[in-house]
Amino acid sequence: MRALVPRTIRTLTTLVLAAAAASPAVAQRRVRAGAATQALPPQWSAFTGAFDAYAREDGIVGGRVTVFRGGRVLAEHAYGVGDRERGTPPDAQAVYHWASITKTLTAIAIMQLRDRGRLTLDDPIVRYVPELRQVHDSFGAIDAVTLRMLLSHSGGFQNPTWPYRNGRAWEPFEPTRWDQLVAMMPYQEIGFAPGSRFGYSNPAFIYLARVVEQLTGEPWAVYVQKNIWTPLGMTRSFVGVSPYHLAGLRAPSYTVHADSDRVHTDANPREFDPGITIPNSGWNAPTGDLVTYVAFLTHADGGDTAVAHRYDGVLRHATLEEMWRPVVPLTAGGSMDEAFGLSFYLYRRGGTTVVGHTGEQSGFRSFLYFDPHTMLGVVGVVNTTNEARPDASNQGWDALTHGAAALVAP
């Protein structure tokens, strides 16, 4: 759930061009039958070469990237193996963990309730989560922190949800109960003047999920299932432990560690509990469900009025466009060419704004970007996090994700 480090999109140009000719034996490419080759983005081959180069350099066990338009897959590319024990490639049917891309679901839930008159974005978060009055705010009354600020990561709340990261046996993966978060609130503080700048916060989206639960009387996961996934036909999306019929498709993940004498890649538990952090990082699904999701986001109804009506029933397209307006720049004093809206990263390239999000948790790293106007999108995931060389790994990942954004808006 690491925040994206802002960089200019041009930083990937050299990497993409250098990797364009790369075609390692471990990589597989497939263009879907019936998809016209000329419909692919012109940088597709260069980007997949860059994807492979990053994967090789970072010790990635396997990864997958899919490019699509209007809900139709144009091409897919796989690197390495999806399951080291079975020796199988990263399968399109495999269920991957999408981590912080989950935050966009929480934001849509908030916007649904706003459109239905249940709340306003300028409501103070403490109206729904009064426990937050325990957080220290040296910038004034915490009542000034609004839902809009949480949606745009400008509320001033801390980045990590859980401060324990030493790997001791007694440490949970993430806090499992709400009362654990509440118990830590008196020992937290607002980090900057609310609304003044961007500051990525994972717990902010747990607080937003509490708003959904307070107003609807339903657990976040139940609400999302009923109001987003089911009407959109995303039948293989879930949170928490895998349902029985999908357990065999759950993709494993890996972490590269460095000891004093060697570097080794260890398998992470295939099933894990994100605990109370599910609303900011719990989404599990095959890539196909992400393609379906972006078809909704871009209103790719193909002229079918029934599909258009179903999309609008989930959330009006005008509301989605509102979510894609810049709220704060990603860097202090920076331009709105690289900004954050209401739970989406926004990258302006000429007259085009690329919309998307990234994710990182439990060995998985992922990205999702699309152009709302051309309906061109790309989704990618790798199943390995390299903790032996974190700085270089993060820099490579940031460059790759910016390249993904550039791919959909040449």
Side-chain angles (χ1 to χ4, degrees), residues 183-205:
M184 292 189 289
M185 288 178 185
Y187 313 104
Q188 298 175 19
E189 64 179 353
I190 298 297
F192 53 84
S196 65
R197 67 175 179 86
F198 176 82
Y200 196 91
S201 174
N202 284 295
F205 278 73

Side-chain angles (χ1 to χ4, degrees), residues 123-393:
D123 288 346
I125 183 61
V126 292
R127 177 177 300 176
Y128 307 99
V129 191
E131 297 95 329
L132 286 169
R133 291 192 181 280
Q134 301 176 83
V135 175
H136 299 278
D137 186 355
S138 60
F139 300 94
I142 199 166
D143 299 73
V145 182
T146 65
L147 304 187
R148 188 188 308 275
M149 293 173 185
L150 271 64
L151 287 169
S152 58
H153 288 298
S154 62
F157 289 109
Q158 66 183 41
N159 183 348
T161 305
W162 199 237
Y164 306 109
R165 284 290 182 271
N166 295 319
R168 294 186 175 90
W170 52 264
E171 295 177 16
F173 177 73
E174 289 282 6
T176 56
R177 304 187 317 271
W178 172 247
D179 63 350
Q180 292 173 319
L181 264 66
V182 173
M184 292 189 289
M185 288 178 185
Y187 313 104
Q188 298 175 19
E189 64 179 353
I190 298 297
F192 53 84
S196 65
R197 67 175 179 86
F198 176 82
Y200 196 91
S201 174
N202 284 295
F205 278 73
I206 302 175
Y207 308 151
L208 289 169
R210 294 288 291 187
V211 176
V212 174
E213 294 175 344
Q214 293 284 354
L215 289 177
T216 67
E218 294 184 321
W220 177 93
V222 173
Y223 179 90
V224 167
Q225 185 78 55
K226 291 165 64 173
N227 293 276
I228 303 176
W229 289 339
T230 294
L232 293 178
M234 297 164 63
T235 59
R236 296 171 294 170
S237 289
F238 64 90
V239 299
V241 176
S242 302
Y244 181 79
H245 68 290
L246 294 175
L249 296 175
R250 182 91 179 231
S253 68
Y254 307 89
T255 301
V256 179
H257 296 286
D259 293 335
S260 58
D261 57 345
R262 67 188 183 100
V263 174
H264 52 98
T265 303
D266 302 318
N268 297 315
R270 195 180 297 255
E271 301 282 355
F272 59 93
D273 181 11
I276 198 69
T277 69
I278 278 177
N280 72 38
S281 62
W283 189 4
N284 305 301
T287 55
D289 272 17
L290 277 292
V291 174
T292 298
Y293 183 53
V294 175
F296 150 70
L297 293 175
T298 58
H299 217 278
D301 56 50
D304 188 323
T305 55
V307 174
H309 180 72
R310 184 166 69 249
Y311 287 167
D312 281 336
V314 175
L315 195 65
R316 296 181 307 120
H317 195 63
T319 298
L320 288 166
E321 291 177 329
E322 178 185 350
M323 299 174 75
W324 304 332
R325 294 173 192 151
V327 177
V328 288
L330 294 182
T331 56
S335 77
M336 287 295 192
D337 286 347
E338 293 193 352
F340 205 79
L342 300 179
S343 192
F344 287 94
Y345 287 100
L346 307 171
Y347 298 104
R348 186 178 297 151
R349 291 178 55 80
T352 299
T353 296
V354 177
V355 179
H357 212 291
T358 59
E360 178 180 337
Q361 190 177 47
S362 190
F364 289 99
R365 275 178 160 170
S366 58
F367 58 79
L368 173 67
Y369 293 103
F370 58 92
D371 179 344
H373 299 291
T374 66
M375 304 182 190
L376 182 66
V378 62
V379 58
V381 60
V382 297
N383 62 11
T384 311
T385 300
N386 194 321
E387 295 185 357
R389 51 193 295 274
D391 291 342
S393 178

